[in-house]
Amino acid sequence: MANPTHILIIPYPAQGHMIPLLDLTHHLATTRTTTPLTITILTTPKNLPILSPLLSSTTNVTPLILPFPPTPGFPPGAENTKDLPPASFRQLIPALSRLEEPLGHWFESHPSPPVVIISDFFVGWTQRFAAKMGIKRVVFSPSGGMALSVIYALWRDMPKEEDQDQNGDVLFKGLPNCPKYPWWQLSPIFRSYVEGDYNSEVIKDGFRNDMDSWGLVINTFDDLERVYLDHLISVLGHNRVWAVGPLFPPHGLKDRGGSSTVDPDTILSWLDSCRDNEVVYVSFGTQSLLTTRQIEVLAEALENSRVRFIWSVRDPSVTNELDKEGDRKIHNTVFKEFEDRVGDRGMIIKGWAPQVSILRHRAVGTFLTHCGWNSVLEGLMAGVGMLAWPMGADQYTNATLLVDELKVGVRICEGPQFVPDPCVLAQTLADSVNGEILDRQRIGKLHTSCLDAVSENGSSSKELVKFVKMLTELKTKNT
């Protein structure tokens, strides 16, 4: 048997980034190849538990555990975004680059070091490291093709705030469909760089290193974003761009998450009692935090809409005003009184929710979402209509794709501080269930395309096989 091809995986320690890359790793580990693969995945001690499902279900994946680099201003032991404030990625990304030295020692001592690094687009320093080691680096994008196209355009063209047009928008003329966004909706990392943040210089170099990398793997699929995949191929100057999504856990592996106030079986039993498509699922992901006023308005809208719903709340005792104890008390009071009023018409999940299972249940027809890319793909895979409330990062771009280009969603509001009119929102929720504002035929067609992409002979499955074959050829050429 041929010697194994050794691959090194380097994630970024945020749940929305790690989980799809771990799913990709599982698929790489279990894809049949003539040359076997052996995979090492870099992690720090506190992030090791999230690897458990992957390590227990594969035999050719091994963790490389390196201590988290000491970082001024970080709480002791903080090494993932769950432990840190939402804006901490501006310090976390540079902090992770300090793993380069211990990683270099591991390479030098390894009897058969990796021939390629696959790493998240937030760890662009790995391109420089791979070049120093004489191996290839592949970027993994947890964001879609449109969002990545916007990100690359920002760091390549470096627009300034004064470049806005008369309507206050920055135009991306070089991109398909010429998207445009107001300055406040652009990447906060990019805006920090323009405003002179020192840490963002490292981040800028990282994204430019991404564009110089040997290949790119994206969590998307051909029918969804072909025009943006072609654009990226043109910008990067090569065709080593593989669309392998939607990336989901392998069959039999349950949703990954933490503790919750509601047992998953209880949730599914409640959904079983509902009619098809009558439930609205509400979730703002693992990072977005609603203000107390936003919580009050959303609760009022859900109550007055008379729809059945599941509302996944990130934390029962934290609002966006993290330093105000009074607001936290208001938060808890709002939920208690709200739950008493709606009774069994709705369910509130405090903590982790089995989102994939909820969305795929026949009773769920609408998803009120912050438009994080994982949530978008999960919604498309489930065939639900989406109500878009983007909060930051790539979510504004994802909402543009969903609402304006694909027309499978409705934008209800935008921004982390915006407070919608509760009466208008209540009517929108009711209309979404009644089929008056969502194009179910278009949603169903895209749902079918999504399923086709990950079928045995689908576009994403074929791209994954091509990608693995290319990796094994790297081993052959370097042997």
Side-chain angles (χ1 to χ4, degrees):
M1 180 180 290
N3 291 329
T5 297
H6 191 180
I7 300 168
L8 176 62
I9 306 288
I10 304 181
Y12 175 76
Q15 188 169 335
H17 289 244
M18 285 191 75
I19 286 181
L21 183 49
L22 294 181
D23 288 339
L24 173 64
T25 303
H26 193 284
H27 289 298
L28 294 177
T30 55
T31 298
R32 293 181 181 179
T33 59
T34 53
T35 301
L37 298 179
T38 181
I39 300 173
T40 300
I41 183 163
L42 189 153
T43 186
T44 51
K46 201 166 185 178
N47 287 304
L48 184 59
I50 199 171
L51 272 60
S52 296
L54 172 66
L55 299 176
S56 62
S57 59
T58 57
T59 58
N60 54 341
V61 180
T62 305
L64 167 61
I65 306 168
L66 295 179
F68 185 78
T71 305
F74 273 32
E79 55 188 69
N80 61 49
T81 55
K82 284 185 176 181
D83 303 316
L84 301 166
S88 62
F89 53 78
R90 297 176 193 170
Q91 291 77 43
L92 184 56
I93 293 173
L96 292 171
S97 68
R98 299 189 189 101
L99 291 172
E100 182 172 350
E101 183 177 352
L103 184 60
H105 295 323
W106 175 80
F107 254 82
E108 292 168 0
S109 63
H110 200 286
S112 181
V115 297
V116 62
I117 294 173
I118 304 173
S119 55
D120 188 275
F121 65 26
F122 271 172
V123 286
W125 59 269
T126 55
Q127 164 60 18
R128 181 184 68 248
F129 178 82
K132 186 167 65 174
M133 295 295 116
I135 64 174
K136 307 294 187 185
R137 187 255 177 149
V138 175
V139 180
F140 173 73
S141 175
S143 296
M146 181 182 183
L148 189 63
S149 296
V150 170
I151 291 169
Y152 281 178
L154 285 174
W155 294 107
R156 184 186 65 242
D157 301 335
M158 302 300 294
K160 297 179 176 60
E161 191 166 4
E162 55 265 30
D163 293 333
Q164 299 172 88
D165 65 8
Q166 65 272 19
N167 298 316
D169 293 322
V170 176
L171 274 63
F172 292 82
K173 297 179 180 179
L175 270 64
N177 303 311
C178 192
K180 58 183 180 180
Y181 300 95
W183 182 258
W184 65 270
Q185 289 188 1
L186 299 184
S187 161
I189 308 176
F190 175 77
R191 287 185 282 118
S192 291
Y193 174 81
V194 173
E195 294 163 5
D197 178 48
Y198 168 76
N199 284 320
S200 295
E201 187 73 34
V202 179
I203 297 169
K204 180 200 75 172
D205 292 343
F207 276 111
R208 290 189 171 182
N209 285 335
D210 285 349
M211 288 183 268
D212 291 335
S213 293
W214 179 77
L216 170 65
V217 175
I218 311 182
N219 188 19
T220 189
F221 60 99
D222 193 272
D223 280 356
L224 184 66
E225 296 192 288
R226 182 68 259 169
V227 65
Y228 295 105
L229 294 170
D230 288 340
H231 171 75
L232 287 166
I233 288 171
S234 174
V235 166
L236 298 174
H238 61 75
N239 63 359
R240 294 183 298 275
V241 176
W242 298 277
V244 298
L247 290 165
F248 287 112
H251 181 71
L253 189 63
K254 295 183 178 180
D255 294 276
R256 284 71 50 91
S259 60
S260 172
T261 56
V262 185
D263 180 84
D265 290 338
T266 301
I267 298 169
L268 295 178
S269 178
W270 183 85
L271 287 169
D272 287 342
S273 70
C274 302
R275 298 191 303 271
D276 290 359
N277 297 320
E278 75 165 328
V279 175
V280 176
Y281 175 62
V282 181
S283 175
F284 291 87
T286 58
Q287 292 297 306
S288 299
L289 289 168
L290 298 183
T291 65
T292 299
R293 181 57 186 152
Q294 287 169 334
I295 290 170
E296 291 172 336
V297 166
L298 183 50
E300 182 180 345
L302 285 167
E303 181 179 356
N304 293 337
S305 70
R306 306 304 301 170
V307 301
R308 305 200 77 176
F309 65 89
I310 293 178
W311 185 358
S312 174
V313 181
R314 179 185 168 195
D315 190 308
S317 62
V318 178
T319 68
N320 218 8
E321 302 93 338
L322 293 173
D323 59 341
K324 299 179 181 178
E325 181 63 28
D327 287 313
R328 287 195 283 272
K329 290 179 180 177
I330 293 172
H331 183 149
N332 286 327
T333 301
V334 168
F335 275 114
K336 178 65 173 67
E337 295 176 351
F338 174 63
E339 287 179 286
D340 290 342
R341 290 195 301 271
V342 298
D344 61 2
R345 181 165 61 83
M347 177 179 291
I348 293 180
I349 304 172
K350 299 173 182 176
W352 172 78
Q355 181 162 294
V356 172
S357 299
I358 292 172
L359 289 171
R360 293 187 183 183
H361 195 283
R362 58 162 183 81
V364 178
T366 303
F367 182 14
L368 198 167
T369 173
H370 67 309
C371 295
W373 189 242
N374 290 330
S375 291
V376 167
L377 291 178
E378 288 165 3
L380 294 176
M381 196 75 169
V384 298
M386 285 178 261
L387 303 180
W389 185 345
M391 292 283 189
D394 62 353
Q395 296 157 23
Y396 302 112
T397 309
N398 299 340
T400 299
L401 183 69
L402 277 178
V403 177
D404 303 322
E405 297 191 15
L406 300 174
K407 303 187 186 307
V408 293
V410 173
R411 187 182 286 103
I412 58 171
C413 54
E414 296 181 303
Q417 300 301 322
F418 186 88
V419 179
D421 182 299
C423 296
V424 174
L425 181 54
Q427 188 62 54
T428 302
L429 291 166
D431 289 345
S432 72
V433 171
N434 296 330
E436 297 182 21
I437 60 172
L438 292 170
D439 189 334
R440 294 291 175 185
Q441 185 174 359
R442 187 182 291 270
I443 292 166
K445 185 177 179 180
L446 193 53
H447 167 60
T448 299
S449 295
C450 195
L451 295 176
D452 288 345
V454 295
S455 65
E456 185 175 355
N457 293 311
S459 61
S460 293
S461 298
K462 289 179 178 178
E463 286 292 286
L464 182 64
V465 171
K466 288 179 184 177
F467 178 53
V468 173
K469 185 174 183 295
M470 188 76 81
L471 295 178
T472 59
E473 288 174 353
L474 284 177
K475 173 64 176 177
T476 303
K477 291 176 182 177
N478 290 348
T479 301

